[in-house]
Amino acid sequence: MFYSVYHSGNYFVIPGSPSEAWEAENFMVPYKDKLPFKMDYGPDDFVIVVVSSQFFYRGLWLEHAFVLKALLPLFADFPSDSTSNSHLKIIISSGDSTGNYSVAVETIALNLRYPRNIVRHVGDEDVDSVLSIADLVIYGSFLEELSFPDILIKAMCFGKPIIAPDISMIRKYVNDRVNGYLFPKENMRVLTQIVLQVVSKGKLSHLARNIASMGKLTAKNLMVLETVEGYGSLIENVLKLPSEVAPSKAVTEIPSKLKEVWQWKLFESIADSAYRNRTLRSHEFLEKLEKQWNRTQTESSSAVIDTNETFLYSIWEEEKYIQMDNTRRRREEEELKDRTDQSRGTWEEVYRSAKRADRSKNDLHERDDGELERTGQPLCIYEPYFGEGTWPFLHYTSLYRGLGLSTRGRRPGTDDIDAPSRLPLLNNPYYRDVLGEYGAFFAIANRVDRIHKNAWIGFQLWRATARKESLSKTAETALLDAIQARRHGDTLYFWVRMDTDPRNPLRKDFWSFCDTINAGNCKFVFSEALKKMYGIKHEWDSLPLMPVDGDTWSVMHSWVLPTKSFLEFVMFSRMFVDALDAQFYDVHHHSGHCYPSLSKDKHCYSRVLELLINVWAYHSAKRIVYVNPETGEMHEQHKLKNRRGQMWVKWFSYTTLKTMDEDLAEEYDSDHPRTRWLWPSTGEVFWQGVYEKERSMRNREKEKRRQQSKDKISRMKRRHRQKTVGKYVKPPPEVEDLNSNTTVVVDRLLR
């Protein structure tokens, strides 16, 4: 359950372990016969133990209350003794016995009108002892879990009948009324009916004892298949063993008998269990003595105060309310502080602060030294990854750039590319798992000029670094020198060989190796995809020739190509993947099974796609060069002069692929099909008609603006203008002076 809190892509989880069954088999409680009497239980008492998840979560007490309520009708089958005590005893096992949960359990029991001393709470530290005296075990947690509860395995190994809710993980291994009992968690009445059937006249029924025996056999070898295959996959895919170690068998080659039963004979070589039991008794005796000594010292040194659990519980509640009140008051003060008027300074200070904040916000992308160095170099190698567990295997130099297939698992403080934001198809978990690294190829190729401005492009898986097959500094320098000198021209450089792959110990040829890693169906899948892709109707089972000439091929998506050739390869891959999806989507999406795998596999045809780059490069007349990842030495593979007459040039030529791509784009742009179609979601949809349509749309917009401008001018010309009524015109200064002088002369004459 620990890994469920975090991203599941960060961990390789192996469920199941024989430890629980082994511990139950060798368990020995000191003074086991005295344990029932030590807990005030008699030989005639019927003990029901309610266990739960190993995690103490908020709603657990409510689920325990439902279980206790369902057990109330059982009291009618248990007569009381002379002291009016019932022989039915219920133990709730969860959490820590030193906590206050025992008070909550007693409160629930009293509210349900249970007699005192019937319901008792015991901590998880005594669970083995409690299970050993139980007559019936009920799993009282309704939480969906990612692994089968260890406590139920131990109870079944003790030979106890179990009753559990029908959550998916429990229902996977427990068959109702075969090796246990199941009840729907939404209907607690069914739990009551099951308990009344299991308990008859104060004893377990004969059917319940048989079911407990079947459960014990089941638990002894529970989840063997998942554990063996999990460790087999770990050794096969993650661990890189030294050359002197014999390679392990594939998971599919492990004998079935090893996947059915734990190899208990191997445990017999462990030291004598009697010594272990003596050691266990010694440790428990010392712990008991230490607890008594500490209790004595505490009582002698401290004041004689009888601490009441109820009193402690009330103090804890009061402290919790005080903390909540302080938190609420602090939040209100912070909000009020933000609302009060504060001095903002002058306009120049405000402007400088805003520019500083804007600069710091964009500093990651505008001032990144690695991005500036990457712009001036001819090659950029992308490293696709999924989840934080892959971060230690990624590079931080300017030659490399991370490509996160999940938005949540990206590295902080780096300029890694968020693939789902560039290709929304990767937000779909189904296609993210099925496409694998091809999702990264499609994300980069989608409007590639916006993010990749280098002449060459490459990819390297983090698994290659984990297997110590990534490029060394010497190999990186040699590769860059060959690219800048144009030593090999339009070339596919690769550095992880097929003939040294751990999956190919016999060094098989191309198609045989492809069949080996794809359940023997690689040729069939490849043939069907090509038929669908090229529209071949008649029976046709030919495959592109991949010769056996002593050279090798590329695996694990670790290669470098010119950017122009990479886009051509992506154009071919999009159509090939779309053909695969059209052929196998329905069966794989609904059942989880597909032709390239013997079992349910969410990655399905990703192993077929792993080898697709070789088929395209060989038959599109690209040179193929192997780069030694340690020394940087280069050796050309499958030389062009030896391929004459063997390549399917017309099938893989750029002209053919471009025509097919434009036909698909025209079909999508013209018909807008409503049925499910993967191809439009894997990249750009473009053909000549799209360009003409955009040009026509721009012309219409231009004509529309021109017409609007003409209409505006016309309206302005036709607009009615009001005539001026009149206005005062100030006379010139000379006229004023003349008038004033005339007035003076006339005045003098009149005098």
Side-chain angles (χ1 to χ4, degrees), residues 76 94 153 162 214 242 389 516 533 554 747:
S94 66
I153 298 177
I162 65 167
M214 292 295 298
T516 301
M533 175 178 171
S554 170
D747 183 56

Side-chain angles (χ1 to χ4, degrees), residues 373-550:
E373 293 178 9
R374 193 181 299 115
T375 304
Q377 61 191 15
L379 170 66
C380 178
I381 299 178
Y382 296 93
E383 294 183 304
Y385 65 92
F386 180 76
E388 298 182 12
T390 61
W391 290 357
F393 305 104
L394 303 179
H395 293 77
Y396 288 88
T397 60
S398 60
L399 181 62
Y400 299 89
R401 191 174 188 183
L403 181 58
L405 296 178
S406 174
T407 304
R408 295 170 56 188
R410 291 172 58 198
R411 293 182 295 177
T414 62
D415 63 336
D416 291 354
I417 299 174
D418 181 22
S421 65
R422 295 189 51 79
L423 191 70
L425 178 68
L426 297 180
N427 290 315
N428 186 337
Y430 172 79
Y431 282 111
R432 184 178 60 209
D433 294 335
V434 166
L435 295 177
E437 287 71 22
Y438 270 72
F441 301 164
F442 296 159
I444 291 293
N446 188 23
R447 303 184 186 276
V448 65
D449 54 331
R450 296 186 178 182
I451 197 168
H452 178 79
K453 303 181 184 302
N454 307 86
W456 287 69
I457 187 172
F459 292 88
Q460 178 174 268
L461 294 194
W462 64 268
R463 296 186 185 88
T465 306
R467 289 171 48 176
K468 298 183 179 180
E469 295 187 15
S470 59
L471 292 174
S472 63
K473 293 296 182 181
T474 305
E476 292 174 1
T477 304
L479 181 59
L480 290 174
D481 291 343
I483 290 174
Q484 291 176 341
R486 301 181 181 180
R487 191 175 304 161
H488 301 97
D490 190 358
T491 306
L492 170 70
Y493 294 98
F494 73 96
W495 51 90
V496 182
R497 302 167 60 102
M498 188 187 76
D499 54 355
T500 60
D501 192 288
R503 298 171 294 178
N504 190 19
L506 301 179
R507 299 196 173 189
K508 298 180 180 180
D509 62 278
F510 182 86
W511 289 116
S512 299
F513 172 71
C514 188
D515 276 340
T516 301
I517 63 176
N518 289 284
N521 292 318
C522 173
K523 297 178 182 178
F524 169 76
V525 171
F526 215 99
S527 176
E528 291 296 318
L530 289 179
K531 287 170 59 177
K532 177 70 176 178
M533 175 178 171
Y534 289 99
I536 300 174
K537 302 298 182 181
H538 56 81
E539 293 296 330
W540 181 79
D541 56 357
S542 298
L543 287 171
L545 181 63
M546 305 298 285
V548 182
D549 52 6

